[in-house]
Amino acid sequence: MKNGLTSYFNQVGGTYTLRTRGIGQYGIILAFILLCIILAVITPKFLTLSNLTNIVTQVSINALLAFGVTFVIITGGIDLSIGSMVAVTGVVAALFAHPDEYPVVVPLLMGLLSGLLLGAFNGFVITRTKVPPFIVTLGTMTIGRGLALILSKGRPISNLSDSFNFIGGGKLLGIPSPILILILAFVGCSIILKKTILGRYMYAVGGNEQAAEASGIRLNKVKMVVYTLCGGLAALAGILLTSRITTGQPNAGVGFELDAIAAAIIGGTSTSGGIGTITGTLIGALLIGVISNGLDLLNVTSYYQQVVMGIIIIGAVVLDSLSQTNKA
């Protein structure tokens, strides 16, 4: 069994390597570099340190969400509830973040715990009922939004402690803390996906569930862990956002799930499962951030930005579909 499993992983790994060295991986890097060059020529402000720092800071929340949803998509699932998780976890953290009430670690843990529980709920329902992830997470999206409004009584939660606000608005060694958190999350998620048995299980489950199960992989356990991880990363994004805006907003995170899924798909994560990298997702998130920033510098209204983003998402999915067809 061990040799068979090893052989299967080698096969999956080899296939994965070959497939990710195509358009999905290198095309996005070339597109990102080309876009940066064009914007640098058109708008001199683009390459300033303050603007680049602003882009990465703005991208950090979307990237955290995208890392989590990348795990889910690789296993062949989807999570539409992460935007609502941002709201409810942010509200939960804000409730415990008032000055002179609790140490800063308490709102952090409570926010993370709420996200992990919501993620685990998704995983439990999906694995036990076999209801499609799209339907389950759509329901959780509504539940999360309702919980955020109930807990906050429909009002923003303000008067947060300085130590809590430092998480999203402070600097360490001159580097904004959201960028440092993004770097840590990128390293951690990359290690999980590339260096751990869990990461190999994700690719195996997304690549071929039947083969993975026949190889002895416990599908339900892997999916439970993946959805829980996704919830935890959504909670981290929610805490970061709440800290940055110094308010727990029950209406925060609307549409965030679409941006996160877009970053993952643009970064080369296949909607069919079994393919994707954290590096690609980070570049996808940066690409979205650069496009948004560039359009802002060019004084293009947000309405047109949404149209451009939609076209890019469709283009990425079409490329992925063509890639899958050519390899079939």
Side-chain angles (χ1 to χ4, degrees):
M1 175 64 74
K2 183 178 180 181
N3 291 334
L5 192 62
T6 303
S7 175
Y8 176 75
F9 279 146
N10 289 337
Q11 183 180 355
V12 170
T15 304
Y16 158 72
T17 302
L18 289 172
R19 295 169 81 178
T20 53
R21 285 178 180 173
I23 295 174
Q25 189 175 54
Y26 295 127
I28 184 66
I29 296 173
L30 292 174
F32 179 70
I33 294 173
L34 182 63
L35 179 64
C36 289
I37 293 173
I38 292 173
L39 288 174
V41 172
I42 296 176
T43 59
K45 290 182 180 177
F46 176 75
L47 273 185
T48 59
L49 180 60
S50 61
N51 187 56
L52 295 177
T53 302
N54 181 54
I55 291 174
V56 181
T57 303
Q58 295 289 340
V59 160
S60 59
I61 292 173
N62 186 33
L64 291 174
L65 294 170
F67 292 162
V69 87
T70 296
F71 291 149
V72 173
I73 295 176
I74 285 176
T75 61
I78 195 71
D79 193 340
L80 301 178
S81 63
I82 51 178
S84 292
M85 286 189 196
V86 168
V88 70
T89 56
V91 166
V92 169
L95 288 171
F96 293 89
H98 296 306
D100 303 324
E101 288 191 0
Y102 300 100
V104 69
V105 69
V106 174
L108 284 175
L109 290 178
M110 294 304 292
L112 287 173
L113 180 62
S114 59
L116 291 170
L117 288 174
L118 284 171
F121 174 78
N122 279 336
F124 180 81
V125 177
I126 289 168
T127 56
R128 298 300 175 182
T129 66
K130 305 303 179 185
V131 173
F134 175 84
I135 303 298
V136 174
T137 57
L138 189 63
T140 309
M141 179 175 72
T142 305
I143 293 172
R145 191 63 62 188
L147 285 175
L149 290 168
I150 292 170
L151 293 172
S152 66
K153 299 179 181 177
R155 297 190 298 269
I157 300 173
S158 56
N159 188 31
L160 308 184
S161 67
D162 291 339
S163 55
F164 181 80
N165 291 335
F166 181 82
I167 298 170
K171 290 184 178 180
L172 286 175
L173 303 174
I175 303 173
S177 50
I179 296 179
L180 295 173
I181 293 172
L182 173 61
I183 293 171
L184 291 174
F186 170 74
V187 173
C189 291
S190 296
I191 290 174
I192 289 174
L193 204 51
K194 289 183 178 179
K195 303 295 183 183
T196 67
I197 193 70
L198 175 62
R200 285 175 170 259
Y201 281 176
M202 290 182 198
Y203 286 120
V205 171
N208 189 324
E209 276 199 10
Q210 288 73 27
E213 190 171 27
S215 300
I217 296 174
R218 298 171 65 182
L219 302 182
N220 288 349
K221 187 176 180 180
V222 173
K223 290 183 180 180
M224 273 290 297
V225 173
V226 166
Y227 279 96
T228 304
L229 271 176
C230 186
L233 286 163
L236 186 58
I239 293 168
L240 196 59
L241 177 65
T242 301
S243 175
R244 279 187 61 193
I245 62 177
T246 66
T247 308
Q249 289 282 356
N251 293 320
V254 175
F256 280 20
E257 62 278 353
L258 299 181
D259 289 340
I261 293 170
I265 294 174
I266 291 171
T269 303
S270 173
T271 53
S272 302
I275 298 175
T277 65
I278 295 300
T279 301
T281 296
L282 177 62
I283 296 173
L286 287 171
L287 182 66
I288 291 174
V290 167
I291 291 172
S292 179
N293 179 263
L295 293 176
D296 282 339
L297 292 176
L298 294 171
N299 295 319
V300 177
T301 65
S302 60
Y303 308 132
Y304 289 99
Q305 292 184 26
Q306 294 179 24
V307 173
V308 171
M309 203 58 63
I311 292 173
I312 290 173
I313 293 170
I314 292 173
V317 174
V318 169
L319 283 175
D320 174 60
S321 178
L322 291 174
S323 176
Q324 299 297 325
T325 302
N326 291 334
K327 290 179 173 63

